[in-house]
Amino acid sequence: MTDTAADMLLGVSGLSAGYLGEDVVHDIELTVGVGEAVAVIGSNGAGKSTMLKSICGLMSPSTGSVRFDGNEIAGTKAHMVVRAGVVYVPAERHLFPQMAVQENLFLGAYPSRPDAERLELVYDTFPRLKERARQHAGTLSGGEQQMLAVGRALMSSPKLLVLDEPTTGLSPILAQEAYAAMAELRKGGLTVLVAEQQVPLALELADRAYVLDHGRITLSGTSDELAADPAVRQAYLGI
Ligand SMILES: Nc1ncnc2c1ncn2[C@@H]1O[C@H](COP(=O)(O)OP(=O)(O)OP(=O)(O)O)[C@@H](O)[C@H]1O
Ligand SMILES: [Mg+2]
């Protein structure tokens, strides 16, 4: 489904990355096909954020290749990676708290001018943001801030949306709502790579998933395969 060159959007190969000369993720092999949702599941400190950041140009991998849409992007500056169509939404969200919701959305389109149709799509996906368009981002609830972080990423019309633990700080119900919104976006054709500790939600959304354990991919398969895997069930699903 994904490993043919024609429909592969992201291809990560032999990627290692870390801090102060010491790798914390090792020899990552991962692909995302056009229109797919792919999850990376792993517990605290497994290396999920390090892996995503080194894919998205927020840090340079020490070795390895990141091919996106036919081009090598490993080690490319973050703004160039955004321009290529990869948008990373950090777990911490990094909104501009003193700016209005709509201004935060407009910044997501930068350096392009915000597109009215795009804004409508974001507001259709998250009607709450439209209601609160003039409110300062810093005064939004946790769930609303999560919507804004995703909405802002969508303003640049990404080819690949990369979400780092989008359920961070959310109650179980809000976490479910966040994933329901992502499922809707998927129906619209969006390609998604998501890192998550909330494994049931991630496996429900994703077509395929990878298990990251102590910086290494230890298992991969369809979400159904992983949900049925005894090791995954014991380690991540508490069964
Ligand atoms: N800036 C940094 N400098 C040094 N070590 C770091 C830095 N950031 C992360 N690490 C280390 O790298 C390892 C992987 O961290 P990473 O944040 O990638 O894990 P994670 O899977 O995203 O965890 P979490 O689910 O808690 O977000 C950890 O041991 C962490 O302490
Ligand atoms: Mg993390």
Side-chain angles (χ1 to χ4, degrees):
M1 178 170 66
T2 60
D3 287 329
T4 62
D7 68 1
M8 189 170 88
L9 186 60
L10 177 74
V12 178
S13 175
L15 179 131
S16 298
Y19 308 92
L20 305 171
E22 198 170 324
D23 289 341
V24 298
V25 296
H26 312 272
D27 210 14
I28 303 295
E29 304 282 327
L30 173 148
T31 60
V32 181
V34 174
E36 256 196 322
V38 172
V40 176
I41 60 181
S43 37
N44 279 125
K48 301 180 297 300
S49 298
T50 304
M51 188 187 104
L52 294 186
K53 285 177 187 167
S54 48
I55 290 172
C56 298
L58 294 158
M59 53 189 283
S60 284
S62 51
T63 53
S65 157
V66 180
R67 289 195 70 78
F68 180 74
D69 212 8
N71 299 304
E72 181 62 44
I73 60 164
T76 306
K77 292 256 185 312
H79 70 276
M80 294 305 289
V81 176
V82 172
R83 201 169 294 180
V86 181
V87 179
Y88 174 72
V89 180
E92 306 80 15
R93 292 166 194 145
H94 296 165
L95 301 171
F96 295 96
Q98 305 292 349
M99 294 176 77
V101 165
Q102 186 146 306
E103 289 173 304
N104 270 272
L105 291 175
F106 283 179
L107 283 171
Y110 184 84
S112 301
R113 299 183 56 174
D115 177 84
E117 264 180 45
R118 212 58 212 170
L119 186 64
E120 275 318 298
L121 177 117
V122 171
Y123 282 152
D124 285 348
T125 309
F126 303 112
R128 190 80 69 84
L129 295 182
K130 190 170 190 176
E131 288 165 23
R132 296 177 183 270
R134 291 164 191 279
Q135 187 173 326
H136 282 178
T139 63
L140 294 175
S141 73
E144 290 164 351
Q145 292 195 16
Q146 202 278 337
M147 294 174 197
L148 181 53
V150 173
R152 185 178 58 181
L154 293 175
M155 286 300 291
S156 68
S157 305
K159 290 179 186 159
L160 174 66
L161 182 66
V162 180
L163 298 161
D164 194 350
E165 294 201 58
T167 56
T168 301
L170 301 186
S171 69
I173 288 179
L174 286 178
Q176 275 185 4
E177 282 180 16
Y179 268 83
M182 286 187 271
E184 280 304 307
L185 291 168
R186 285 217 55 210
K187 284 187 201 156
L190 189 66
T191 308
V192 179
L193 175 62
V194 60
E196 189 56 86
Q197 289 190 60
Q198 304 235 11
V199 174
L201 286 174
L203 291 184
E204 200 181 314
L205 177 81
D207 303 298
R208 289 187 301 118
Y210 296 81
V211 174
L212 188 66
D213 186 13
H214 292 89
R216 294 182 192 276
I217 300 228
T218 53
L219 210 55
S220 64
T222 66
S223 295
D224 290 344
E225 284 165 357
L226 290 194
D229 184 277
V232 172
R233 288 166 70 84
Q234 192 182 11
Y236 301 101
L237 299 173
I239 299 168

mmCIF file of all heavy atoms in Angstrom, residues 17-34:
data_model
loop_
_atom_site.group_PDB
_atom_site.id
_atom_site.type_symbol
_atom_site.label_atom_id
_atom_site.label_comp_id
_atom_site.label_asym_id
_atom_site.label_seq_id
_atom_site.Cartn_x
_atom_site.Cartn_y
_atom_site.Cartn_z
ATOM 1 N N ALA A 17 19.593 10.264 15.791
ATOM 2 C CA ALA A 17 19.657 11.658 16.242
ATOM 3 C C ALA A 17 19.731 11.696 17.754
ATOM 4 O O ALA A 17 19.313 10.752 18.428
ATOM 5 C CB ALA A 17 18.417 12.433 15.766
ATOM 6 N N GLY A 18 20.270 12.791 18.278
ATOM 7 C CA GLY A 18 20.375 12.909 19.727
ATOM 8 C C GLY A 18 20.890 14.262 20.125
ATOM 9 O O GLY A 18 20.731 15.247 19.395
ATOM 10 N N TYR A 19 21.506 14.297 21.286
ATOM 11 C CA TYR A 19 21.919 15.552 21.895
ATOM 12 C C TYR A 19 23.363 15.432 22.371
ATOM 13 O O TYR A 19 23.759 14.382 22.876
ATOM 14 C CB TYR A 19 21.006 15.883 23.081
ATOM 15 C CG TYR A 19 19.545 15.837 22.692
ATOM 16 C CD1 TYR A 19 18.811 14.660 22.843
ATOM 17 C CD2 TYR A 19 18.911 16.942 22.126
ATOM 18 C CE1 TYR A 19 17.481 14.596 22.461
ATOM 19 C CE2 TYR A 19 17.572 16.894 21.747
ATOM 20 C CZ TYR A 19 16.869 15.718 21.915
ATOM 21 O OH TYR A 19 15.548 15.662 21.535
ATOM 22 N N LEU A 20 24.127 16.521 22.230
ATOM 23 C CA LEU A 20 25.505 16.587 22.725
ATOM 24 C C LEU A 20 26.319 15.370 22.277
ATOM 25 O O LEU A 20 27.063 14.790 23.052
ATOM 26 C CB LEU A 20 25.506 16.691 24.260
ATOM 27 C CG LEU A 20 24.685 17.854 24.834
ATOM 28 C CD1 LEU A 20 24.567 17.734 26.351
ATOM 29 C CD2 LEU A 20 25.302 19.200 24.449
ATOM 30 N N GLY A 21 26.130 15.009 21.016
ATOM 31 C CA GLY A 21 26.940 13.943 20.447
ATOM 32 C C GLY A 21 26.503 12.534 20.805
ATOM 33 O O GLY A 21 27.160 11.567 20.420
ATOM 34 N N GLU A 22 25.406 12.415 21.528
ATOM 35 C CA GLU A 22 24.951 11.075 21.903
ATOM 36 C C GLU A 22 23.559 10.823 21.313
ATOM 37 O O GLU A 22 22.606 11.553 21.630
ATOM 38 C CB GLU A 22 24.896 10.948 23.422
ATOM 39 C CG GLU A 22 24.871 9.502 23.875
ATOM 40 C CD GLU A 22 25.051 9.392 25.383
ATOM 41 O OE1 GLU A 22 25.815 10.192 25.962
ATOM 42 O OE2 GLU A 22 24.404 8.516 25.968
ATOM 43 N N ASP A 23 23.460 9.800 20.463
ATOM 44 C CA ASP A 23 22.175 9.509 19.831
ATOM 45 C C ASP A 23 21.181 8.948 20.849
ATOM 46 O O ASP A 23 21.544 8.121 21.685
ATOM 47 C CB ASP A 23 22.346 8.487 18.698
ATOM 48 C CG ASP A 23 23.052 9.097 17.497
ATOM 49 O OD1 ASP A 23 23.083 10.347 17.389
ATOM 50 O OD2 ASP A 23 23.583 8.327 16.669
ATOM 51 N N VAL A 24 19.927 9.398 20.738
ATOM 52 C CA VAL A 24 18.871 8.790 21.557
ATOM 53 C C VAL A 24 17.846 8.057 20.690
ATOM 54 O O VAL A 24 17.054 7.277 21.196
ATOM 55 C CB VAL A 24 18.171 9.802 22.491
ATOM 56 C CG1 VAL A 24 19.159 10.389 23.485
ATOM 57 C CG2 VAL A 24 17.471 10.900 21.724
ATOM 58 N N VAL A 25 17.843 8.315 19.390
ATOM 59 C CA VAL A 25 17.086 7.448 18.471
ATOM 60 C C VAL A 25 18.069 6.871 17.458
ATOM 61 O O VAL A 25 19.029 7.534 17.055
ATOM 62 C CB VAL A 25 15.900 8.150 17.766
ATOM 63 C CG1 VAL A 25 14.846 8.578 18.759
ATOM 64 C CG2 VAL A 25 16.349 9.319 16.915
ATOM 65 N N HIS A 26 17.834 5.628 17.099
ATOM 66 C CA HIS A 26 18.825 4.876 16.345
ATOM 67 C C HIS A 26 18.208 4.197 15.126
ATOM 68 O O HIS A 26 17.204 3.484 15.263
ATOM 69 C CB HIS A 26 19.446 3.780 17.222
ATOM 70 C CG HIS A 26 19.889 4.270 18.568
ATOM 71 N ND1 HIS A 26 21.147 4.799 18.793
ATOM 72 C CD2 HIS A 26 19.237 4.332 19.749
ATOM 73 C CE1 HIS A 26 21.247 5.156 20.071
ATOM 74 N NE2 HIS A 26 20.104 4.879 20.676
ATOM 75 N N ASP A 27 18.809 4.449 13.969
ATOM 76 C CA ASP A 27 18.540 3.655 12.785
ATOM 77 C C ASP A 27 17.043 3.512 12.466
ATOM 78 O O ASP A 27 16.549 2.412 12.225
ATOM 79 C CB ASP A 27 19.161 2.259 13.002
ATOM 80 C CG ASP A 27 19.587 1.649 11.681
ATOM 81 O OD1 ASP A 27 19.645 2.373 10.674
ATOM 82 O OD2 ASP A 27 19.822 0.424 11.658
ATOM 83 N N ILE A 28 16.359 4.649 12.452
ATOM 84 C CA ILE A 28 14.901 4.641 12.227
ATOM 85 C C ILE A 28 14.596 4.406 10.749
ATOM 86 O O ILE A 28 15.149 5.066 9.866
ATOM 87 C CB ILE A 28 14.280 5.994 12.651
ATOM 88 C CG1 ILE A 28 14.585 6.311 14.119
ATOM 89 C CG2 ILE A 28 12.788 6.036 12.345
ATOM 90 C CD1 ILE A 28 13.978 5.381 15.119
ATOM 91 N N GLU A 29 13.698 3.458 10.495
ATOM 92 C CA GLU A 29 13.170 3.200 9.143
ATOM 93 C C GLU A 29 11.659 3.398 9.238
ATOM 94 O O GLU A 29 10.994 2.725 10.039
ATOM 95 C CB GLU A 29 13.428 1.752 8.710
ATOM 96 C CG GLU A 29 14.878 1.306 8.745
ATOM 97 C CD GLU A 29 15.678 1.813 7.556
ATOM 98 O OE1 GLU A 29 15.100 1.944 6.450
ATOM 99 O OE2 GLU A 29 16.879 2.087 7.742
ATOM 100 N N LEU A 30 11.129 4.303 8.438
ATOM 101 C CA LEU A 30 9.696 4.603 8.549
ATOM 102 C C LEU A 30 9.208 5.208 7.238
ATOM 103 O O LEU A 30 9.941 5.966 6.596
ATOM 104 C CB LEU A 30 9.518 5.582 9.712
ATOM 105 C CG LEU A 30 8.164 6.224 10.007
ATOM 106 C CD1 LEU A 30 8.037 6.455 11.518
ATOM 107 C CD2 LEU A 30 7.982 7.552 9.300
ATOM 108 N N THR A 31 8.010 4.839 6.841
ATOM 109 C CA THR A 31 7.432 5.455 5.644
ATOM 110 C C THR A 31 6.017 5.938 5.940
ATOM 111 O O THR A 31 5.333 5.397 6.813
ATOM 112 C CB THR A 31 7.334 4.464 4.455
ATOM 113 O OG1 THR A 31 6.504 3.366 4.829
ATOM 114 C CG2 THR A 31 8.701 3.955 4.026
ATOM 115 N N VAL A 32 5.614 6.957 5.193
ATOM 116 C CA VAL A 32 4.221 7.413 5.229
ATOM 117 C C VAL A 32 3.783 7.597 3.789
ATOM 118 O O VAL A 32 4.434 8.325 3.024
ATOM 119 C CB VAL A 32 4.063 8.754 5.996
ATOM 120 C CG1 VAL A 32 2.596 9.174 6.026
ATOM 121 C CG2 VAL A 32 4.612 8.650 7.418
ATOM 122 N N GLY A 33 2.708 6.931 3.418
ATOM 123 C CA GLY A 33 2.197 7.054 2.060
ATOM 124 C C GLY A 33 1.212 8.208 1.943
ATOM 125 O O GLY A 33 0.659 8.676 2.943
ATOM 126 N N VAL A 34 0.990 8.654 0.714
ATOM 127 C CA VAL A 34 0.024 9.733 0.484
ATOM 128 C C VAL A 34 -1.348 9.310 1.019
ATOM 129 O O VAL A 34 -1.828 8.226 0.699
ATOM 130 C CB VAL A 34 -0.078 10.046 -1.027
ATOM 131 C CG1 VAL A 34 -1.180 11.065 -1.299
ATOM 132 C CG2 VAL A 34 1.249 10.523 -1.562
#
